[in-house]
Amino acid sequence: MNTETSTSSRRTTYTPDSLLEVAVAVFNDRGYDGTSMEDLARAAGITKSSIYHHVKGKEELLTRGVNRALDALNASLDALDTLEPLPDAGELDRVEQAVFRAVQILVEELPYVTLLLRVRGNTEAERAAQDRRREIDRRLAGFVERAAAAGVLRTDLDPHLASRLVFGMVNSVVEWYRPGPGRWSADDVASAVTHLVFDGLRRR
Amino acid sequence: MNTETSTSSRRTTYTPDSLLEVAVAVFNDRGYDGTSMEDLARAAGITKSSIYHHVKGKEELLTRGVNRALDALNASLDALDTLEPLPDAGELDRVEQAVFRAVQILVEELPYVTLLLRVRGNTEAERAAQDRRREIDRRLAGFVERAAAAGVLRTDLDPHLASRLVFGMVNSVVEWYRPGPGRWSADDVASAVTHLVFDGLRRR
């Protein structure tokens, strides 16, 4: 397996953010469980003791990496939560904005969201990340349920199942999306997901 | 990590299918790369040499496991392919049936589809599985493109992007679906996915 990552540009000084970027790329490449501090030092081109100068260990890098995704997602939900109470159509708009913003964050923070979605729960730091992720899933499902209660969603879909499927589609973007010139932008993908989810593929 | 799986009921004789079931459960629990023949023997409650009596090695178990999912998916596409040429609305029906059937197969063959979707490409057997999976993705995308060409899909969605998203939603079901009494059935989930994908969440 290739242990070098495209982001490891072998520099000798790191900021907390640039070291985190290298670490998250290695975690996503090798798996968090399969990554040693040795692997991180090699990818960063510095010694293990230089890394310990920045962080206590790889758990701290995991926590900081997933928090970057989690904090962005929570901030977007906080912004939408202040809008209530909403007239009925507003409940649909809120779900639509939550979906659109979730896709944008996923694309903008791709390595950090990828790390979050792959966390397996073998250590305390991973379980804490999973708990925070489940809390976000609950907040998103809550928006869908309020829209269902407001009568603006079709009634033949279980809101809980619909919510699972919609955010399954959102999260699936990490499996194939790669940024770059001439590729779909964050807004292209976010628009496509919201159009598909709210109005479907069928021509009317 | 718990290396026992819920399917390992410690028996001393195995059929090819029952041994495959145990092996696939262990692969999904520990990851294919992280599973040794020792792990498989322990989970099956038999010796390594008893396993070698059935198969040449773990690559053969991987190939047989993913082929169970791939063969079912290909058979469903073959059945739909014989229907062409179709009148325009038939092209939409074909995509709808392909999506419905893909979800059914995913639920019916959950451990085998899970294994297929997690394959990482580190060995020849894994790369062969990825190649066969990509061929199925191409066939599915081809159905979506033919429906777009027939004018039965909305024109503001790139068919290629739509196809990625729809099958992203389908595949995301492996992340949370668990069978059991009182749970959603394969048909419940397949109906929900097709309704959502073709007509959207919005009440009309």
Side-chain angles (χ1 to χ4, degrees):
Chain A
M1 193 195 301
N2 179 13
T3 61
E4 298 301 320
T5 70
S6 57
T7 56
S8 82
S9 55
R10 293 193 171 274
R11 41 201 286 177
T12 47
T13 55
Y14 280 95
T15 63
D17 279 356
S18 64
L19 181 64
L20 184 62
E21 192 184 337
V22 172
V24 168
V26 180
F27 292 154
N28 286 336
D29 187 37
R30 300 180 63 89
Y32 174 72
D33 293 334
T35 302
S36 63
M37 287 297 274
E38 199 68 50
D39 295 324
L40 294 179
R42 202 177 309 115
I46 57 177
T47 61
K48 271 207 284 186
S49 61
S50 304
I51 295 187
Y52 283 115
H53 176 73
H54 288 279
V55 290
K56 277 188 225 129
K58 73 170 189 163
E59 295 225 335
E60 186 179 331
L61 288 162
L62 176 85
T63 301
R64 284 174 40 208
V66 297
N67 281 352
R68 190 158 146 168
L70 290 160
D71 292 347
L73 290 164
N74 266 320
S76 81
L77 295 175
D78 289 344
L80 292 170
D81 245 344
T82 62
L83 299 175
E84 67 180 333
L86 295 174
D88 293 352
E91 291 292 349
L92 193 71
D93 285 346
R94 170 149 60 194
V95 178
E96 211 164 332
Q97 285 177 52
V99 170
F100 191 92
R101 193 70 193 109
V103 179
Q104 277 185 321
I105 291 169
L106 183 146
V107 170
E108 287 161 6
E109 305 287 349
L110 189 64
Y112 306 96
V113 178
T114 302
L115 180 65
L116 175 66
L117 295 175
R118 291 190 186 162
V119 152
R120 300 201 53 184
N122 292 326
T123 60
E124 206 180 313
E126 289 170 275
R127 286 188 292 273
Q130 286 180 319
D131 286 345
R132 287 197 70 195
R133 182 189 160 187
R134 275 192 284 267
E135 174 59 23
I136 287 173
D137 287 344
R138 271 193 294 274
R139 293 185 73 183
L140 288 165
F143 287 177
V144 175
E145 275 156 34
R146 275 187 271 169
V152 290
L153 301 189
R154 15 191 319 186
T155 54
D156 61 345
L157 277 175
D158 178 331
H160 183 54
L161 179 51
S163 179
R164 289 259 194 202
L165 294 172
V166 168
F167 293 100
M169 178 185 283
V170 170
N171 292 339
S172 74
V173 172
V174 304
E175 300 300 331
W176 58 267
Y177 183 81
R178 295 298 170 266
R183 308 271 183 106
W184 291 306
S185 68
D187 282 13
D188 290 339
V189 184
S191 294
V193 172
T194 44
H195 285 147
L196 194 44
V197 157
F198 289 90
D199 294 307
L201 269 181
R202 192 190 306 275
R203 185 174 187 172
R204 285 165 205 291
Chain B
M1 194 194 302
N2 178 15
T3 60
E4 297 303 319
T5 70
S6 57
T7 55
S8 81
S9 54
R10 292 192 170 275
R11 43 200 284 177
T12 46
T13 55
Y14 281 95
T15 63
D17 278 355
S18 63
L19 181 64
L20 184 62
E21 192 185 338
V22 173
V24 168
V26 181
F27 292 155
N28 286 336
D29 187 36
R30 302 180 61 91
Y32 174 72
D33 293 331
T35 302
S36 63
M37 287 297 274
E38 198 69 51
D39 296 324
L40 295 178
R42 202 178 308 117
I46 58 178
T47 61
K48 272 205 288 184
S49 62
S50 304
I51 296 187
Y52 283 116
H53 176 72
H54 288 279
V55 291
K56 278 189 224 126
K58 71 169 190 164
E59 296 226 333
E60 186 178 333
L61 288 163
L62 177 86
T63 301
R64 284 176 38 212
V66 296
N67 281 352
R68 191 156 145 172
L70 289 160
D71 292 346
L73 289 164
N74 265 319
S76 81
L77 295 175
D78 289 346
L80 292 170
D81 245 347
T82 61
L83 300 174
E84 68 180 333
L86 296 173
D88 293 352
E91 291 292 348
L92 193 70
D93 285 347
R94 168 146 63 192
V95 178
E96 211 163 334
Q97 286 177 51
V99 170
F100 191 92
R101 192 71 193 108
V103 178
Q104 277 186 322
I105 291 169
L106 183 146
V107 170
E108 287 161 5
E109 305 287 350
L110 190 63
Y112 307 95
V113 178
T114 303
L115 180 65
L116 174 66
L117 294 176
R118 292 190 184 161
V119 151
R120 298 200 54 186
N122 292 326
T123 62
E124 206 178 315
E126 289 171 274
R127 286 187 292 273
Q130 288 180 319
D131 285 345
R132 285 195 71 195
R133 183 188 160 191
R134 274 191 284 267
E135 175 58 24
I136 287 174
D137 287 344
R138 270 192 294 274
R139 293 185 73 183
L140 288 165
F143 287 179
V144 175
E145 275 156 34
R146 276 187 272 169
V152 290
L153 301 189
R154 7 185 332 184
T155 53
D156 60 345
L157 277 176
D158 177 331
H160 183 54
L161 178 51
S163 179
R164 291 256 191 202
L165 294 173
V166 168
F167 294 100
M169 179 186 281
V170 170
N171 293 339
S172 75
V173 172
V174 303
E175 299 300 331
W176 57 267
Y177 183 81
R178 296 297 171 265
R183 308 269 183 109
W184 292 305
S185 69
D187 282 12
D188 290 339
V189 183
S191 294
V193 172
T194 44
H195 285 146
L196 194 45
V197 158
F198 289 89
D199 294 307
L201 270 182
R202 191 189 306 274
R203 184 172 188 177
R204 282 165 207 293

